């Protein structure tokens, strides 16, 4: 590798370096301790220095220096990990530089020329290099060490590296932590003791920051049941962020692909950089805080003050700018933030350069003034360009003009209140789509009704109207602590749909996709999939007691929304609980709004909830468990096993308490959820357990605890609800209400915020990421246990051997996915499939793994043998092999009897294994069955199961006869298997003898048949056998066997012949050498141990 020329001192360097080659201008040196001799104690010390220190001269064991005869100054210009690499550089210098140097007169000119040439070479390499780091030179050196120490495939992308200590037991090892796209690696070399660690991100169970008495701050990594601790990191938070991002990236790409396609920035594993990961993390936090669409990325951040008109002071905070939004969040504890879509901006002005301020005028009653912005001019121009606003030549319009424009907008909307909805760019909905919320249709408010509940409802509306007048209304409204206080007290029925749209960010989705929902409805109309079948089944189970869903109006709207979403997002399709949630959304929002609310919930607010494995809900259950341990220690002391609360709370998270609370109470919970996200559900869950603490502590079993919680939920009421009894949901336990004190939902929510409102959303998100690794790995472990349980009944391998085989099989699956996004195996991995079908190998992956594990280590012609085995065990002919099929092949070869092994080899030379087809492209699906979300033919499945149950065991009489071409190849395969065996000569003679014997037997049989049917050919009864050429013995046979084989075969050259398996078996049983070879026990553990160490290296050499 060429290095940026640096001056070095050679005063004491000759003790550490040995000169291998030199000439007038260049010196090639080898690091002492490398290569021949090892270097003794000096070599050990040098190796330790090379690992601990980060110096250019100690990066690689070989280097090239430049110097001139009349100067004592040396310049390092190249280094190499291997002698071959450095010699290649040396030869290039000899051929391209040495001849040119003779034309220069002075040494300074020579040095300048060499330095310029080397810098040019580095620049050329940089044009095609994927390295995009702050210090390319140091990164190149680290990349060289990374490649030399870990021998991973060249495609593996090093992201960053850090100096740290790794704790092996109680002893710290100082070394280097390397973080690449697919692996976490550590290397240390101290006084001859080498520590090397390679962990793939997809194997990590725990990743967290910890501290204890010995380690003040460290990063804890758990993988394969082992704990690893890394400490003394200079930038621990930065390191942890990158590790967290890489682990999350790996999980999404390999296990949880339903959400991965929405992250284009990380789509290519070969293009990931540290800077890209940090940018992605900031954008994720930005989108989560402001509830923005997934397409938005944080582009700029500016510190500034924002004039807050309702408080009459400037609040300090940060302006966050993305492609389509200008956002502001305070940093002074006032909990104030505002979101301004660029489409709402009508002008940007810079009224006062002395205070570095700019004013953003938006539609409605808003003119926001940002001051003390460091780069205010560039920010103003950026906003203008993104909004399509052109400034005047003086770059300003008068303040009066701005105020006039804003006032005209205000007057327009005051005179035309119906146009407020146009502020978000809504278009007229299709006539086929319902344009009214179901609650307004089935429960219109009576204006003249003056009962106490309705009066209180009017007071709530008045409070919100006052709030709107102070803080604004619509997309550019200020969100403050007062907004949350109003939410906790309850949202009026008339405003619920509008506020849900605003708080969830769905209002922006709908505004930027006009007409999208109507198109989806039209496209999805009449489609028939598994999702639509499930939707039809659940339509009448969605709030069946509510009048809206006892009519075709409500049912049809629910069907359209759910079917349109399943069509939009087929990877999620439809999952149970979506119908309950959507029903409630339709009650308070128009149909199109309900659709976009569902999009916001499924794709942003509750990620990974609505898929086959409900990973998101399981993750939040784990977060809930952690919070119980922190917030309710008294309950934890009594119930050490908190898994009970996880199972009970699943419906709380999936349906936002809608399934356990009466509808009039549940909507208050949904109000809080749309404002505060999952934090509101966690807080309420803690409040419910706290309220029932004494009863839960005194209960004796889980069933009693469930009863207590059910009775509590039945007793929850909403005393302020204006809904009539016909609309309110009847409680399941009405008969027991007298014995249970009723609880008002507003009081319960208020208590939840007072006691647990200190829980920060950032902490919840951090806990989510931490627990997602554990949840995913637990699900993967369950899959493994189920697969092993099924396979163990069919093979003779022990449970521990199957465990190791599964690890190697799964790792081989991932090795085909690590460095590409287009791997057929990755594309066909579907976690919703049966356990056995989740991980499969294409031919190339199978061939590599099979070559590592098959028992005949010296066998030649392995590629053909692997192909035939692959075709044989691929029962459904889809070009993919699952774990059971793979184990069947290995079990036969390792544990099968002589007859079974021979039968397996015999079948390898029959169709479909032995055919004239070429090698298949890796993972190409020849028969691509409908998977995952497609329409399922239940009759076909039942037929398949019936066939498997009735399938009888294959006997040797069921095998077809083997023709001459197949038999010749069978003989060659035997010769290949015996190659390199200590008894090779005896085995070769035995094969030749068996071949000769079988051919003679066939000749005798043919002659015996001739008198009875003189006009018929000898093989008339063997229909369908192709015409072949005369038989010849395998090339590897000795001279005598060749001669005998040709003699026997020459008489049969004009006719076709074939053998049955019984004939072949009987002939081979008479050869003790062959029987002994196949019955010789082979230990699979040895092959498993070798495969673990070489699996990655085999991939690297491909």
């Amino acid at each position: 590798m060429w290095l940026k020329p640096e001056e070095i001192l050679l005063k004491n360097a000759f003790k550490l370096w040995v000169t291998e080659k030199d000439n007038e201008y260049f010196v090639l040196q080898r690091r002492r301790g490398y290569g021949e001799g090892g270097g003794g104690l000096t070599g050990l010390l040098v190796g330790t220095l090379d690992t601990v220190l980060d110096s250019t001269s100690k990066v690689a064991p070989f280097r090239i220096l430049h110097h001139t005869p009349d100067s004592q100054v040396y310049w390092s210009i190249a280094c190499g990990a291997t002698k071959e690499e450095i010699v290649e550089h040396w030869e290039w210098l000899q051929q391209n530089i040495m001849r040119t140097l003779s034309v220069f007169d002075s040494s300074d000119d020579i040095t300048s020329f060499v330095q310029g040439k080397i810098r040019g070479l580095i620049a050329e390499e940089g044009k095609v290099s994927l390295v995009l780091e702050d210090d390319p030179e140091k990164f190149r050196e680290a990349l060289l060490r990374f490649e030399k120490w870990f021998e991973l495939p060249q495609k593996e992308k090093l992201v960053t590296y850090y100096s740290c200590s790794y704790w092996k037991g109680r002893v710290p090892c100082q070394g280097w932590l390397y973080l690449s796209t697919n692996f976490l690696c550590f290397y240390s070399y101290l006084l001859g003791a080498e520590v090397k660690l390679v962990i793939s991100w997809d194997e990590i169970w725990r990743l967290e920051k910890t501290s204890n008495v010995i380690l003040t701050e460290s990063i804890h990594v758990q993988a394969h049941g082992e704990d690893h601790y890394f400490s003394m990191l200079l930038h621990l938070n930065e390191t942890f962020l990158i590790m967290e991002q890489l682990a999350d990236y790996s999980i999404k790409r390999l296990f949880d692909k339903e959400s991965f396609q929405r992250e284009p920035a990380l789509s290519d594993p070969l293009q990931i950089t540290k800077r890209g990961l940090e940018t992605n993390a900031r954008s994720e936090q930005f989108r989560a805080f402001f509830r923005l669409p997934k397409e938005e990325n944080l582009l700029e951040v500016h510190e500034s003050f924002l004039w807050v008109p309702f408080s009459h002071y400037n609040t300090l905070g940060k302006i966050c700018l993305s492609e389509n939004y200008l956002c502001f969040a305070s940093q002074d504890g006032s909990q104030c933030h505002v979101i301004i879509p660029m489409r709402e901006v009508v002008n940007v002005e810079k009224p006062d350069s002395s205070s570095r301020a700019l004013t953003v005028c938006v539609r409605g009653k808003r003119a926001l003034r940002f001051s003390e912005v460091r780069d205010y001019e560039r920010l103003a121009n950026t906003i203008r360009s993104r909004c399509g606003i052109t400034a005047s030549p003086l770059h300003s319009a008068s303040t009066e003009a701005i105020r006039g424009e804003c006032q005209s907008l205000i007057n327009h909307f005051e005179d035309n209140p119906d146009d407020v909805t146009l502020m978000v760019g809504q278009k007229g909905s299709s006539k086929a789509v319902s344009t009214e919320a179901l609650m307004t249709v089935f429960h219109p408010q009576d204006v003249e009704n003056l009962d106490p509940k309705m009066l209180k409802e009017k007071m709530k509306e008045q409070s919100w109207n006052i709030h709107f007048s102070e803080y604004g209304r619509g997309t550019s409204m200020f969100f403050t602590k007062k907004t949350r206080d109003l939410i906790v007290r309850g949202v009026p029925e008339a405003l619920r749909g509008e506020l849900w749209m605003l708080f969830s960010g769905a209002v922006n989705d709908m505004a930027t996709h006009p007409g999208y929902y109507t198109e989806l409805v039209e496209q999805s109309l009449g489609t028939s999939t598994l999702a639509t079948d499930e939707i039809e089944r659940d339509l009448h189970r969605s709030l069946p007691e509510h009048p809206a869903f006892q009519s075709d109006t409500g049912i049809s709207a629910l069907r359209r929304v759910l079917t349109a979403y399943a069509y939009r997002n087929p990877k999620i399709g439809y999952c149970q609980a979506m119908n309950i949630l959507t029903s409630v959304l339709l009650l308070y929002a128009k149909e199109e709004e309900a659709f976009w609310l569902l999009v916001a919930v499924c794709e942003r607010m509750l990620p990974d909830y609505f898929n086959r494995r409900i990973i998101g809900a399981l993750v939040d259950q784990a977060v809930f468990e952690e919070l119980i341990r922190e917030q309710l220690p008294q309950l934890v002391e009594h119930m050490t096993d908190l898994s009970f609360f996880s199972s009970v709370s699943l419906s709380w998270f999936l349906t936002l308490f809608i399934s356990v609370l009466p509808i009039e109470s549940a909507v208050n919970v949904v109000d809080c959820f749309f404002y505060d996200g999952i934090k509101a559900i966690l807080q309420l869950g803690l409040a419910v357990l706290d309220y029932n603490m004494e009863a839960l502590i005194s209960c004796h079993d889980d069933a009693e605890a469930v009863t207590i919680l059910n009775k509590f939920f039945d007793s929850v009421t909403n005393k302020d609800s204006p809904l009539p009894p016909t609309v309110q949901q009847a409680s399941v336990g009405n008969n027991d209400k007298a014995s249970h004190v009723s609880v008002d939902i507003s009081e319960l929510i208020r208590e939840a915020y007072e006691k647990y409102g200190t829980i920060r959303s950032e902490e919840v998100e951090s806990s989510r990421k931490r627990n997602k690794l554990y949840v995913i790995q637990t699900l993967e472990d369950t899959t493994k246990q189920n697969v092993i349980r099924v396979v163990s009944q069919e093979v003779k391998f022990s449970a521990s051997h199957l465990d190791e085989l599964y690890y190697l099989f799964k790792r081989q699956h991932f090795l085909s996915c690590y460095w590409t996004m287009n791997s057929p195996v990755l594309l066909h991995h579907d976690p919703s499939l049966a356990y056995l079908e989740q991980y499969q190998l294409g031919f190339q992956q199978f061939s590599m793994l099979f070559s590592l594990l098959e028992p005949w280590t010296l066998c030649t012609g392995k590629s053909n043998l692997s192909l035939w085995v692959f075709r044989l065990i691929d029962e459904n002919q889809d070009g993919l092999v699952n774990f059971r099929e793979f184990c069947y092949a290995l079990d036969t070869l390792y544990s099968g009897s002589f007859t079974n092994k021979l039968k397996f080899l015999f079948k390898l030379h029959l169709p479909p294994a032995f055919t004239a087809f070429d090698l298949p492209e890796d993972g190409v699906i020849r028969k691509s069955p409908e998977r995952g979300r497609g329409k399922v033919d239940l009759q076909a499945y039942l037929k398949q199961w019936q066939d498997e149950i009735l399938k009888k065991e294959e006997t040797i009489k069921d095998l077809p006869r083997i023709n001459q071409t197949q038999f010749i190849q069978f003989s060659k395969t035997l010769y290949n298997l015996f190659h390199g065996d200590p008894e090779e000569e005896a085995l070769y003679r035995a094969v030749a003898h068996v071949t000769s014997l079988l051919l003679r037997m066939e000749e005798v049989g043919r002659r015996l048949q001739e008198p009875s049917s003189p006009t018929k050919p000898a093989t008339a009864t063997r229909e369908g056998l192709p015409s072949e050429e005369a038989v010849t013995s395998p090339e590897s046979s000795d001279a005598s066997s060749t001669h005998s084989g040709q003699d026997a075969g020459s008489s049969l050259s004009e006719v076709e012949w074939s053998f049955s398996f019984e004939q072949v078996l009987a002939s081979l049983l008479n050869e003790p050498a062959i029987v002994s070879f196949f019955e010789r026990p082979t230990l699979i553990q040895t092959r498993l141990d070798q495969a673990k160490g070489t699996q990655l290296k085999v991939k690297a050499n491909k």
Side-chain angles (χ1 to χ4, degrees):
M1 181 175 71
W2 299 109
L3 300 175
K4 179 182 176 183
E6 287 187 4
E7 185 177 340
I8 61 171
L9 298 174
L10 291 184
K11 184 177 181 181
N12 298 313
F14 290 109
K15 295 179 182 179
L16 302 177
W17 293 91
V18 179
T19 299
E20 297 269 308
K21 296 181 180 181
D22 64 343
N23 58 36
E24 191 176 0
Y25 298 108
F26 301 102
V27 180
L28 189 156
Q29 295 183 328
R30 172 176 55 84
R31 188 79 166 159
R32 196 178 293 276
Y34 292 90
E36 299 177 3
L41 181 59
T42 306
L44 287 178
L45 291 171
V46 171
T48 300
L49 287 171
D50 288 352
T51 305
V52 175
L53 301 180
D54 183 20
S55 170
T56 302
S57 62
K58 303 181 180 66
V59 166
F62 298 94
R63 70 178 181 180
I64 296 176
L65 306 179
H66 162 67
H67 73 108
T68 52
D70 56 350
S71 173
Q72 298 299 313
V73 177
Y74 284 74
W75 301 82
S76 64
I77 60 171
C79 67
T82 62
K83 190 168 184 178
E84 291 77 11
E85 181 184 0
I86 205 70
V87 167
E88 184 180 340
H89 284 13
W90 178 266
E91 290 176 353
W92 189 90
L93 290 170
Q94 297 294 314
Q95 296 170 9
N96 297 278
I97 300 293
M98 285 298 293
R99 296 175 186 174
T100 310
L101 297 183
S102 59
V103 304
F104 293 102
D105 296 329
S106 70
S107 298
D108 291 342
D109 291 341
I110 291 173
T111 300
S112 297
F113 174 78
V114 170
Q115 290 180 355
K117 193 67 178 175
I118 299 301
R119 288 194 178 97
L121 290 172
I122 294 173
E124 283 298 316
E125 287 181 359
K127 289 180 182 178
V128 295
S129 173
L130 296 176
V131 176
L132 300 170
E133 301 303 318
D134 296 331
D135 190 342
E137 190 61 36
K138 292 190 72 173
F139 193 85
R140 282 159 55 85
E141 297 164 10
L143 181 61
L144 188 71
R145 292 197 301 266
F146 175 71
E147 292 173 350
K148 179 186 77 172
W149 286 337
F150 302 108
E151 300 179 311
L152 294 171
Q154 287 187 349
K155 285 185 176 180
E156 182 61 17
K157 175 74 170 64
L158 177 63
V159 175
T160 188
Y161 63 101
Y162 300 94
S163 173
C164 73
S165 291
Y166 168 63
W167 290 79
K168 194 173 183 182
R170 296 187 176 182
V171 180
C173 305
Q174 182 63 31
W176 292 91
L177 177 68
Y178 294 88
L179 307 180
S180 66
T181 305
N182 299 294
F183 299 95
L184 179 156
C185 306
F186 177 84
Y187 186 86
S188 173
Y189 184 85
L190 295 171
L191 299 177
E194 183 182 60
V195 178
K196 188 185 294 186
L197 182 71
V198 179
I199 302 172
S200 59
W201 294 113
D202 55 80
E203 297 168 354
I204 292 178
W205 284 66
R206 289 280 186 194
L207 177 63
E208 56 193 350
K209 287 187 283 190
T210 59
S211 60
N212 54 38
V213 178
I214 300 175
L215 304 174
T216 52
E217 269 194 312
S218 64
I219 296 175
H220 170 219
V221 177
Q222 186 187 68
H224 297 301
E226 297 180 359
D227 294 303
H228 308 276
Y229 292 91
F230 301 92
S231 66
M232 298 181 69
L233 286 147
L234 190 60
H235 306 288
L236 187 134
N237 290 330
E238 175 193 299
T239 309
F240 181 76
L241 175 67
I242 298 297
M243 293 172 74
E244 192 176 55
Q245 285 281 302
L246 285 168
D248 187 55
Y249 166 75
S250 179
I251 289 293
K252 286 179 179 177
R253 189 163 68 95
L254 301 175
F255 295 115
D256 188 27
K257 293 181 292 301
E258 291 177 349
S259 62
F260 182 71
Q261 299 302 327
R262 297 193 295 269
E263 308 229 9
L266 301 179
S267 59
D268 188 352
L270 302 181
Q271 299 286 353
I272 290 179
T273 62
K274 173 187 170 186
R275 192 176 302 158
L277 288 169
E278 290 172 337
T279 302
N280 185 66
R282 286 193 295 268
S283 292
E284 280 183 349
Q285 293 174 350
F286 167 69
R287 289 191 297 264
F289 183 83
F290 292 108
R291 304 277 170 80
L292 297 179
K294 287 278 186 182
E295 297 76 25
E296 297 301 311
N297 295 291
L298 181 60
L299 303 177
E300 297 179 22
V301 178
H302 301 268
E303 274 202 357
S304 77
F305 287 90
L306 171 63
W307 173 252
V308 185
F310 48 84
S311 299
H312 304 290
Y313 76 98
N314 282 312
T315 179
L316 175 65
K318 288 187 177 179
I319 300 172
C320 301
L321 193 68
S322 70
E323 290 87 348
N324 299 296
Y325 295 89
L326 172 69
C327 306
F328 177 87
S330 65
Q331 293 180 290
D332 57 2
S334 62
Q335 300 177 7
C336 168
H337 72 271
V338 63
I339 304 164
I340 308 170
M342 294 294 187
R343 64 180 184 275
E344 297 294 304
V345 177
V346 295
N347 208 337
V348 180
E349 197 50 45
K350 185 184 58 176
D352 186 3
S353 58
S354 62
S355 60
R356 296 183 297 181
L358 58 95
T359 300
V360 178
C361 186
V362 300
R363 297 181 189 179
K365 303 179 181 181
R366 206 60 69 239
L368 298 98
R369 186 175 185 273
F370 300 97
S371 59
E372 299 301 328
V373 184
R374 179 176 298 176
D375 201 357
Y376 65 97
E377 287 188 10
R378 189 174 65 82
L379 177 60
N381 290 332
T382 301
I383 298 172
R384 283 195 191 95
S385 64
R386 293 197 175 278
C387 300
I389 300 170
T390 55
S392 64
L394 295 176
H395 205 61
S396 66
S398 66
T399 307
E400 289 76 11
I402 296 172
R403 287 175 180 168
E405 187 173 356
C406 290
Q407 191 59 47
S408 65
L409 282 168
I410 293 168
N411 295 337
H412 171 74
F413 287 112
E414 285 178 347
D415 296 336
N416 303 278
D418 293 339
D419 287 357
V420 172
T421 54
L422 296 176
M423 288 164 56
V424 295
Q426 297 176 12
K427 287 191 176 182
S429 300
S430 168
K431 293 179 181 178
V433 174
S434 174
T435 57
E436 294 292 337
L438 293 178
M439 196 62 80
T440 61
V441 176
F442 289 89
H443 177 52
Q445 291 191 7
D446 186 358
V447 181
E448 297 180 0
N449 187 355
L450 298 178
D451 64 31
K453 288 186 177 181
M454 191 56 70
L455 284 173
K456 194 160 189 178
E457 186 76 1
K458 293 296 180 186
M459 290 173 63
K460 281 185 185 178
E461 286 186 31
Q462 187 61 28
S463 298
W464 275 96
N465 287 328
I466 294 170
H467 183 79
F468 291 149
S469 65
E470 292 181 0
Y471 297 85
R473 185 172 188 171
T475 50
S476 56
M477 183 178 88
F478 281 94
F479 296 83
T480 66
K481 191 175 180 181
K482 189 175 179 182
T483 313
R484 179 181 281 114
D485 293 340
L486 285 173
I487 290 286
V488 171
R489 276 186 265 169
V491 174
E493 300 277 316
L495 296 176
R496 188 160 269 139
E498 177 189 340
L499 292 175
W500 285 359
M501 288 289 289
L502 181 63
F503 297 150
S504 65
V507 65
N508 293 314
D509 292 326
M510 191 166 83
T512 53
H513 296 82
Y516 175 78
Y517 173 67
T518 307
E519 290 175 11
L520 274 185
V521 170
E522 292 171 356
Q523 291 169 4
S524 61
L525 190 65
T527 56
S528 179
T529 63
L530 178 61
T532 57
D533 289 349
E534 292 175 343
I535 289 169
E536 289 298 326
R537 184 188 63 206
D538 287 349
L539 282 177
H540 295 279
R541 303 177 187 176
S542 312
L543 301 185
E545 67 286 339
H546 198 285
F549 298 101
Q550 295 170 358
S551 73
D552 185 60
T553 303
I555 293 294
S556 297
L558 181 59
R559 178 189 291 112
R560 286 193 294 269
V561 172
L562 291 175
T563 306
Y565 186 79
Y567 190 83
R568 163 190 165 87
N569 193 343
K571 290 191 174 181
I572 291 180
Y574 169 79
C575 292
Q576 285 190 342
M578 287 173 69
N579 61 317
I580 298 174
L581 175 61
T582 308
S583 301
V584 175
L585 298 178
L586 281 167
L587 289 178
Y588 294 97
K590 298 174 185 177
E591 188 177 319
E592 185 176 5
E593 294 174 342
F595 170 79
W596 287 112
L597 284 169
L598 183 63
V599 169
V601 171
C602 293
E603 298 176 12
R604 280 202 304 272
M605 302 185 72
L606 296 179
D608 299 329
Y609 261 60
F610 301 100
N611 54 35
R612 298 286 171 170
R613 300 196 291 177
I614 56 171
I615 290 170
L618 296 175
V619 169
D620 284 342
Q621 282 181 304
V623 175
F624 189 50
E625 263 190 49
E626 284 187 358
L627 290 173
I628 292 173
R629 294 183 192 280
E630 293 174 12
Q631 304 287 343
L632 303 173
Q634 189 178 351
L635 189 61
V636 175
E637 288 175 11
H638 178 73
M639 302 181 73
T640 52
D641 182 13
L642 297 182
S643 59
F644 161 74
F645 295 113
S646 295
S647 58
V648 168
S649 64
L650 182 60
S651 63
W652 305 356
F653 293 105
L654 280 173
T655 66
L656 309 179
F657 283 93
I658 296 169
S659 63
V660 293
L661 287 174
I663 186 64
E664 65 275 9
S665 300
V667 290
N668 285 38
V669 179
V670 179
D671 296 338
C672 299
F673 167 75
F674 277 124
Y675 191 82
D676 274 321
I678 195 62
K679 185 171 87 84
I681 305 300
L682 294 168
Q683 289 174 180
L684 186 61
L686 292 172
V688 168
L689 297 181
D690 188 28
Y691 192 94
N692 295 277
M693 177 82 74
E694 294 182 6
L696 290 172
I697 288 176
S698 61
C699 66
H700 300 91
D701 55 34
D702 291 351
E704 190 177 346
V706 170
T707 304
I708 289 168
L709 291 174
N710 285 340
K711 286 184 177 180
F712 170 77
F713 287 129
D714 291 339
S715 70
V716 175
T717 62
N718 187 350
K719 63 184 181 182
D720 297 333
S721 175
L723 300 180
T726 55
V727 174
Q728 292 192 16
Q729 190 175 358
S731 297
V732 178
N734 269 339
N735 298 333
D736 300 330
K737 267 198 173 182
S739 61
H740 210 293
V741 179
S742 63
V743 182
D744 184 63
I745 187 64
S746 297
E747 291 297 317
L748 186 63
I749 290 174
R750 183 182 56 78
E751 189 175 326
Y753 272 90
E754 286 179 356
K755 286 189 174 181
Y756 309 109
T758 53
I759 297 172
R760 296 170 61 243
S761 297
E762 293 81 1
E763 294 171 358
V764 172
E765 288 302 318
S766 176
S767 182
R768 270 179 159 180
K769 286 186 177 179
R770 183 170 63 250
N771 283 288
K772 186 174 182 178
L773 291 172
Y774 182 78
V775 167
I776 289 279
Q777 296 295 1
T778 302
L779 291 172
E780 289 295 309
D781 194 58
T782 302
T783 297
K784 180 184 76 172
Q785 298 302 330
N786 283 306
V787 169
I788 290 176
R789 188 180 67 251
V790 171
V791 174
S792 63
Q793 298 172 4
E794 302 175 6
V795 299
K796 296 178 182 177
F797 291 134
S798 66
S800 61
H801 286 161
L802 284 173
D803 192 280
E804 293 182 64
L805 278 171
Y806 186 86
Y807 167 75
L808 290 169
F809 187 88
K810 182 177 171 182
R811 193 183 199 189
Q812 193 69 40
H813 168 94
F814 283 149
L815 285 177
S816 67
C817 312
Y818 281 158
W819 301 284
T820 177
M821 285 308 301
N822 299 316
S823 165
V825 178
L826 180 62
L827 296 174
H828 287 90
H829 171 54
D830 186 349
S832 69
L833 292 175
Y835 292 126
L836 279 168
E837 304 299 321
Q838 288 187 22
Y839 293 106
Q840 302 184 88
L841 301 182
F843 171 67
Q844 295 297 335
Q845 291 77 43
F846 169 83
S847 180
M848 282 187 268
L849 186 58
F850 185 75
S851 66
L852 292 174
L853 294 173
E854 53 91 9
W856 302 303
T857 54
L858 301 174
C859 171
T860 57
K862 287 187 178 183
S863 60
N864 284 335
L865 187 64
S866 297
L867 174 61
W868 298 334
V869 173
F870 181 81
R871 286 174 175 166
L872 178 64
I873 64 179
D874 181 17
E875 295 179 359
N876 60 356
Q877 301 295 301
D878 66 349
L880 297 171
V881 166
N882 64 34
F883 183 66
R884 179 170 64 180
E885 294 166 340
F886 181 75
C887 287
Y888 159 74
L890 285 182
D891 182 63
T892 302
L893 299 180
Y894 275 97
S895 308
S897 63
F898 174 78
T899 302
N900 285 337
K901 288 179 181 177
L902 195 62
K903 184 169 75 171
F904 187 81
L905 287 173
F906 188 84
K907 289 169 71 175
L908 290 182
H909 298 83
L910 296 170
F914 185 78
T915 63
F917 299 139
D918 295 330
L919 289 174
E921 293 183 23
D922 183 23
V924 171
I925 307 301
R926 293 184 291 278
K927 294 180 182 178
S928 182
E930 192 73 23
R931 298 178 180 230
R933 309 280 179 253
K935 186 79 170 176
V936 176
D937 188 349
L938 296 178
Q939 293 294 329
Y941 272 110
L942 291 172
K943 178 84 166 54
Q944 181 182 342
W945 293 335
Q946 185 181 24
D947 292 344
E948 288 181 2
I949 293 170
L950 297 176
K951 185 169 64 177
K952 61 179 182 179
E953 187 175 350
E954 183 183 57
T955 65
I956 59 176
K957 292 184 179 180
D958 297 327
L959 294 173
R961 298 174 70 88
I962 191 170
N963 65 29
Q964 61 187 41
T965 301
Q966 296 161 353
F967 180 73
I968 291 171
Q969 187 58 59
F970 176 77
S971 301
K972 287 182 178 180
T973 300
L974 290 178
Y975 278 101
N976 291 336
L977 293 180
F978 302 151
H979 177 73
D981 191 88
E983 302 294 326
E984 182 178 7
E985 285 298 321
L987 290 166
Y988 282 177
R989 281 195 294 271
V991 174
H993 183 262
V994 167
T995 303
S996 178
L997 178 63
L998 285 169
L999 292 172
R1000 284 175 181 150
M1001 287 171 57
E1002 175 66 16
E1003 172 69 11
V1004 171
R1006 186 179 64 80
R1007 288 176 180 173
L1008 289 174
Q1009 288 183 357
E1010 281 179 357
S1012 60
S1013 54
T1015 59
K1016 283 191 172 186
T1019 55
T1021 58
R1022 298 164 200 159
E1023 297 178 2
L1025 291 175
S1027 177
E1028 302 291 348
E1029 298 177 0
V1031 65
T1032 57
S1033 64
E1035 296 173 357
S1036 57
S1037 60
D1038 54 34
S1040 61
S1041 63
T1042 302
H1043 180 70
S1044 63
Q1046 287 176 343
D1047 287 345
S1050 60
S1051 61
L1052 295 171
S1053 60
E1054 300 300 325
V1055 295
E1056 296 177 353
W1057 46 266
S1058 63
F1059 302 115
S1060 68
F1061 177 70
E1062 294 98 313
Q1063 289 176 306
V1064 176
L1065 176 63
S1067 302
L1068 291 173
L1069 280 171
N1070 289 323
E1071 299 296 333
I1074 294 178
V1075 174
S1076 174
F1077 175 85
F1078 282 107
E1079 290 187 341
R1080 187 189 307 158
T1082 307
L1083 296 177
I1084 192 173
Q1085 188 61 52
T1086 306
R1087 302 291 284 156
L1088 288 171
D1089 294 339
Q1090 291 173 351
K1092 287 179 188 175
T1094 58
Q1095 192 176 26
L1096 271 175
K1097 293 179 182 178
V1098 169
K1099 180 69 180 177
N1101 294 330
K1102 287 292 177 181

